[in-house]
Amino acid sequence: MAEVMGYQWSSWRKYPRVIPEKDRPVVAEVDDAITPAVVDVRDISEGGIDLELAEDMPEQCIDQELPLSVSLPAPINKTIRARGRVRHIEGRRVGVRFAELKPTDVDSLREYVQYLSKNESWLTKLRRRWWGNF
């Protein structure tokens, strides 16, 4: 997988992903009876979000719908409501593909991804890639 200008990209990914800044995190809330909680966002794109939960999610939750509220930090400053579908589970780490988004929310996500990819040095991007949020 190659990382170019803050994007994580591979041949099978449709949308580039970015890792949120530690001092301006993306905040996600799962609005659901299975796992109602505020959760950590590991990365985000126009197509989906990678979440880290407080507890393991059961494997049977794959393909289940998950309602989310995702708050994008400055300079976007917007909360979007989305319906996603759980695509993979690795213990507490859950990959969710957005299934329903308003066009304006897609635009906000795209703007956030572009903002992050422009405003980080390549060294910071590399550190994030190898050592996570610091």
Side-chain angles (χ1 to χ4, degrees):
M1 182 177 348
E3 182 168 334
V4 179
M5 298 300 292
Y7 292 104
Q8 293 178 5
W9 193 261
S10 72
S11 60
W12 58 272
R13 290 209 183 275
K14 185 173 181 180
Y15 302 105
R17 300 183 294 166
V18 294
I19 299 168
E21 297 170 314
K22 186 176 184 178
D23 59 338
R24 288 191 286 181
V26 172
V27 177
E29 292 182 54
V30 178
D31 304 324
D32 162 290
I34 297 171
T35 316
V38 175
V39 296
D40 291 332
V41 175
R42 295 180 51 93
D43 64 52
I44 190 167
S45 74
E46 291 175 51
I49 192 166
D50 190 26
L51 305 172
E52 183 141 355
L53 308 176
E55 299 177 6
D56 288 357
M57 181 178 265
E59 290 287 326
Q60 63 264 29
C61 292
I62 289 178
D63 284 331
Q64 284 192 346
E65 192 173 273
L66 205 59
L68 298 168
S69 296
V70 180
S71 298
L72 302 172
I76 311 305
N77 290 325
K78 183 174 180 188
T79 298
I80 62 173
R81 305 240 185 275
R83 289 208 169 284
R85 195 156 295 280
V86 176
R87 301 309 301 158
H88 66 86
I89 299 171
E90 295 174 28
R92 297 179 342 169
R93 193 170 172 184
V94 178
V96 178
R97 182 179 64 201
F98 294 132
E100 290 181 30
L101 280 174
K102 295 177 187 173
T104 55
D105 292 338
V106 173
D107 291 342
S108 296
L109 283 166
R110 183 178 305 124
E111 185 179 347
Y112 178 73
V113 169
Q114 289 173 348
Y115 170 78
L116 266 192
S117 67
K118 288 180 193 174
N119 291 300
E120 283 189 338
S121 72
W122 68 270
L123 183 57
T124 300
K125 293 171 196 165
L126 183 62
R127 284 182 181 148
R128 282 188 196 285
R129 178 79 176 122
W130 286 98
W131 294 293
N133 272 345
F134 56 91

